[in-house]
Amino acid sequence: MRYLVNDSCIGCGLCVAVCPGVFEMGPDGHAQAREMDVSGEQAPDADAALEGCPVNAIEKH
């Protein structure tokens, strides 16, 4: 499973705080997902970031 942060991101940093192994802040001040398959042990935190995003900017692929 891969995650994607779409253009709705407002740069709040919640996803990075919840799951820094999958999400990081980009040079533009918005979050981005690392290009990787998310492992079983990181998946719960990545899903928590997806659910907690205030603007629903995180997608699963």
Side-chain angles (χ1 to χ4, degrees), residues 6-28:
N6 66 37
D7 291 340
S8 298
C9 179
I10 58 172
C12 74
L14 179 127
C15 59
V16 177
V18 171
C19 191
V22 175
F23 302 99
E24 62 188 354
M25 296 306 288
D28 64 354

Side-chain angles (χ1 to χ4, degrees), residues 1-3 20-23 33-39 42 61:
M1 185 69 54
R2 288 184 180 238
Y3 290 78
V22 175
F23 302 99
R34 299 175 194 272
E35 291 188 32
M36 58 184 267
D37 288 324
V38 176
S39 69
Q42 289 179 319
H61 291 272

